Amino acid sequence: MVLARLARRGGRRVTSLSLAACAGAVDLLAIAGLGGAFASIITGNLVTAGNGIGSADDHVFAPAAVAIGGYTAGVLTAQAIPRFRWPGHLVIELALLGVLTGGWIATGSRPDRETALLLLAAAGLAMGTQSVVASWLHESTTYMTGTLTTALHDLVTGKRGTRAVAFGQLGALCAGATVAAALMHAARWSVPVLALCFLLVAIIAGALGDIEGD
């Protein structure tokens, strides 16, 4: 019984860390290779979209708007689909990242503007789907401002809370982006493959830990 609980807890931690790393890699790809908007950090995209509107610059506005739309559609679609057994919705994210990977590689990892926007929409859909799954796991894997705020509050006040978990999620997000950035220079084609690998680790860890996301 105790071993089963430990395995479940370990599987959940590996899953949440891997999802955060996946999000970091996807966001790095989005900002560095798909037009400069984030796939999941919507507050940043809203500011960028405002900049595009205020400056009447479609090249600034369009990627942010597409990313916001894709993410929103991903969240709404994932919420509308009934929850089913693990890995459930993460299979949908896997398929979306597969489309992103295929499109990225097919264009020689340098898509034109129209194709980049389509791939950015797929990335946004994937991150929106992941955010819904993360909420079921009671974790943050894509939007980290609140996570950082809570962690710093716990650090200053000496409250244990979820400080270690929060800093772990932040570290995983940064690590995913860091590795993706290195690959962007060394093996540009492989950046979305990295995100796929992180997602597969999350799915496998969740299965081994018998996670149902409740």
Side-chain angles (χ1 to χ4, degrees):
M1 184 72 70
V2 174
L3 290 177
R5 283 201 301 269
L6 289 174
R8 181 181 176 88
R9 186 178 305 169
R12 185 180 292 269
R13 287 300 303 130
V14 172
T15 293
S16 62
L17 290 169
S18 298
L19 289 177
C22 175
V26 173
D27 270 325
L28 188 284
L29 175 64
I31 61 174
L34 299 177
F38 293 100
S40 69
I41 306 175
I42 301 306
T43 49
N45 287 337
L46 287 170
V47 173
T48 302
N51 180 34
I53 294 171
S55 61
D57 188 342
D58 176 62
H59 283 77
V60 173
F61 172 75
V66 167
I68 293 168
Y71 182 91
T72 300
V75 170
L76 293 176
T77 302
Q79 292 284 15
I81 298 173
R83 291 171 64 173
F84 49 104
R85 189 172 179 82
W86 185 270
H89 285 65
L90 289 186
V91 173
I92 299 172
E93 181 185 354
L94 188 69
L96 290 166
L97 290 184
V99 170
L100 172 61
T101 301
W104 178 255
I105 293 175
T107 58
S109 68
R110 297 186 185 277
D112 59 33
R113 184 168 183 259
E114 290 73 20
T115 304
L117 290 176
L118 289 173
L119 296 179
L120 181 58
L125 281 163
M127 291 299 97
T129 302
Q130 184 187 122
S131 293
V132 171
V133 175
S135 71
W136 292 337
L137 296 175
H138 309 293
E139 299 282 3
S140 293
T141 65
T142 55
Y143 42 93
M144 296 292 191
T145 303
T147 300
L148 177 60
T149 302
T150 300
L152 292 175
H153 173 270
D154 289 351
L155 181 64
V156 171
T157 61
K159 181 181 178 181
R160 290 182 179 275
T162 57
R163 185 172 61 198
V165 172
F167 282 126
Q169 293 299 104
L170 290 161
L173 183 79
C174 184
T178 300
V179 177
L183 289 177
M184 188 66 84
H185 295 284
R188 188 179 175 92
W189 64 270
S190 66
V191 176
V193 177
L194 173 69
L196 277 173
C197 290
F198 283 134
L199 181 56
L200 284 171
V201 170
I203 290 172
I204 293 169
L208 292 176
D210 193 27
I211 290 174
E212 290 299 325
D214 49 22

